[in-house]
Every structure is written in C-alpha cells, then in structure tokens.
Amino acid sequence: MSSAAPPADSVAFCAGLVRSHDFPRYAATLFAPAAERQALLALYAFNVEIVRVRDQVSQPLPGEIRLQWWTDMLSGHVHGSAEGNPVAAELLRAISDFDLPVEPLSLLADEHQFDLYNDPMPTMAALEGYLDATCSALFGLAARVMAPPSEAAEHVARHAGLAQGIVQVIANLPRDSAHRQLFLPQQLLAAHCCEMEDVFAGKETPNLHAVLGQLVGEAEQHLTTALSLLPEVPAPARPAFLLLSQVRGDLKRLSQPGRNPFAPQPPSRLRTLWTLWRASRSREFTK
C-alpha cells in the first residue's frame, strides 16, 4: 500500500457525502481499520456520485455526459480535473493502494445509465444483471479492500448484492413510482396480472403484493446463500459483508403483513448503527 497520507479535506468530503446519502454503508465503514476505511469511503462516495446523477439532471443526455466523465477518468482519459475532484482523487488512490480492478467500477457507471430513462426493467434476469454490476460489484470491491481477492468472497458478494439490491428496489418503490420509473420486472408484473399504471398511480393491490412477495422470496434466498457461504470467506474480508445484517433487518421490515408498499419506511440511523455494531461483534462476520 502507498504510505503517502491523503489530503484530510478529500477524505472528509467523501465521508460526508456517504454519511449524507448512504448512511448504512457509511456506518459499516466505522468498523474497518483507518486505511481500509478511507478506501471504502472512496468506493462508496463514487457510488453515491453515480447514483445521484439521475436526480441532478432533467434530461438523459447531461446524465450520460456525467457518467461518461467517470468512465473516462477511470480509463485515464481525464487530465487535471480528476485531481480537483475529491471523490475522483480518493478513488484513484484506493485503486492504487489496494490494487483494485478498474473494470467493475466502469461497468457500475455504465449500468446506471438505465436510471436516466423511464424504460421498465423487462425481466428478472435483467434486474439480476443490473444488481450484479452495481450492488454485487461494490461488495466484491469492498472485500478486496479488506483482504486479498478470493473466489469465496466473490461468490458471497454476488448473492449479497442481489439480496441487498432487491431490498432496495422494494424500499424505493414510493420514490420510483412517483417518477414513473419501474425497477419491478415487467415479467413479474405480467405473471401476477399487475398493471404498470396501477403501480405508477400508487394503488395498493393484491396483485402488487404478490409481485413484492415473490421479490422478497428471491431476496431471502440470496441472503440465505450469502450467509451460508460466509464461513468460507477469509476472516479479514468478512467485515465487508456487515451490511448483510442490515439487509436481514430490512427484509423483515418490508415483508410485514399489511405494510403499505407506497409508504416510505426508512430505518432510523440509530437502529442501523445498532444492527451493524451487533453484527461486528458476532462470530458470523468475524471468525
């Protein structure tokens, strides 16, 4: 790893960005050693910047230009301005210090182009591909920050990301439907005779509950698989998967009988911290 200390202001900027826009991932970094924590915050700040593009533009083209800047930066085609961007500077430092592969980061930015358009997610396979390139990739990169790469960690990362991503799709339904954006696969809607316009109108129907129930089941399967494989992951890498404890709690909350899927129910920050703290002290994630 590099021995050069990063500028304190760029580290603080990344920490503040993640704390404000992705508190669960911010909280998870509190249980990592200092050098690894800075790299994790750089990864998660990059993700925040990519995810926020959708909310910062009114038309797809400016969003595509912003995403292209990041892919150009990662491929070394941006000169000068990268060092002036604290997130880019910290991300490049993390890539260098921990020998992180650039391709998954570029693919993550490319995959989020989908967010810029109101095209519906067509199939469950398409949703899994999207989540694999985004949520699973972040788990995999976090594991590589914490320990040398391993096949076991990559396997867990895939299932962890799919579980977390499906939970986010369910939790974000109030916001996405208000924007007439659909991450619920059309394939599932058709299978349960759930009309897209009913979802956009915020109608709580038995058909929609059937769709969400199937998604909850898919997420539970991936979570169970990830947790069952976790003991095979080298101990130093396991803290990268602390967020699985949050996913477990979110799934329980989102699958409560009678829950209105269009009523936002964000977990409290205190509960998130408590959940992650308990996980950090459990044998499940440490030994």
Side-chain angles (χ1 to χ4, degrees):
M1 291 193 310
S2 167
S3 60
D9 54 348
S10 63
V11 175
F13 182 89
C14 288
L17 190 67
V18 180
R19 188 177 190 275
S20 297
H21 296 280
D22 191 351
F23 187 77
R25 284 195 177 97
Y26 170 81
T29 69
L30 298 176
F31 304 98
E36 286 80 0
R37 180 171 190 252
Q38 289 174 2
L40 292 174
L41 286 169
L43 281 176
Y44 298 155
F46 163 72
N47 184 61
V48 167
E49 290 284 59
I50 297 301
V51 171
R52 282 203 311 161
V53 167
R54 172 176 101 168
D55 297 325
Q56 293 175 326
V57 297
S58 56
Q59 297 293 329
L61 183 57
E64 291 210 22
I65 292 171
R66 291 190 183 206
L67 293 176
Q68 187 63 48
W69 185 90
W70 285 101
T71 55
D72 287 348
M73 184 277 295
L74 288 166
S75 62
H77 296 150
V78 173
H79 304 286
S81 59
E83 289 75 12
N85 181 310
V87 176
E90 284 300 299
L91 183 62
L92 292 173
R93 189 186 310 277
I95 290 169
S96 173
D97 287 357
F98 292 90
D99 194 25
L100 299 179
V102 170
E103 185 181 11
L105 294 163
S106 295
L107 287 174
L108 186 150
D110 288 341
E111 199 67 34
H112 276 291
Q113 288 192 24
F114 178 86
D115 306 0
L116 303 176
Y117 299 87
N118 283 347
D119 297 333
M121 187 67 69
T123 63
M124 194 67 203
L127 177 61
E128 289 181 347
Y130 173 90
L131 298 177
D132 195 30
T134 54
C135 298
S136 297
L138 278 180
F139 272 116
L141 288 162
R144 290 181 71 129
V145 166
M146 299 301 294
S150 72
E151 188 174 335
E154 286 298 317
H155 199 180
V156 172
R158 181 175 186 274
H159 289 285
L162 290 174
Q164 181 192 52
I166 292 171
V167 164
Q168 289 176 346
V169 166
I170 298 170
N172 290 340
L173 184 61
R175 184 193 70 174
D176 293 337
S177 60
H179 293 157
R180 295 186 65 82
Q181 186 156 40
L182 199 65
F183 286 85
L184 304 179
Q186 282 183 302
Q187 178 187 29
L188 293 193
L189 294 178
H192 294 285
C193 301
C194 183
E195 297 293 334
M196 206 183 316
E197 285 301 323
D198 286 347
V199 178
F200 292 149
K203 290 184 181 178
E204 186 181 357
T205 65
N207 310 67
L208 175 61
H209 279 287
V211 171
L212 297 178
Q214 184 170 342
L215 283 174
V216 165
E218 295 279 350
E220 287 174 341
Q221 286 185 17
H222 286 298
L223 177 62
T224 299
T225 301
L227 291 173
S228 71
L229 295 172
L230 197 56
E232 300 175 17
V233 173
R238 287 183 208 162
F241 300 103
L242 278 177
L243 280 168
L244 285 175
S245 63
Q246 175 78 18
V247 173
R248 185 161 47 196
D250 286 343
L251 264 176
K252 185 177 180 181
R253 177 173 52 86
L254 293 171
S255 58
Q256 289 178 344
R259 187 188 76 88
N260 180 356
F262 295 103
Q265 293 176 301
S268 73
R269 290 188 169 192
L270 185 60
R271 178 172 290 278
T272 296
L273 282 169
W274 171 247
T275 299
L276 292 169
W277 178 80
R278 287 187 65 187
S280 74
R281 297 173 65 84
S282 74
R283 294 178 62 87
E284 188 174 30
F285 292 98
T286 56
K287 295 179 182 178

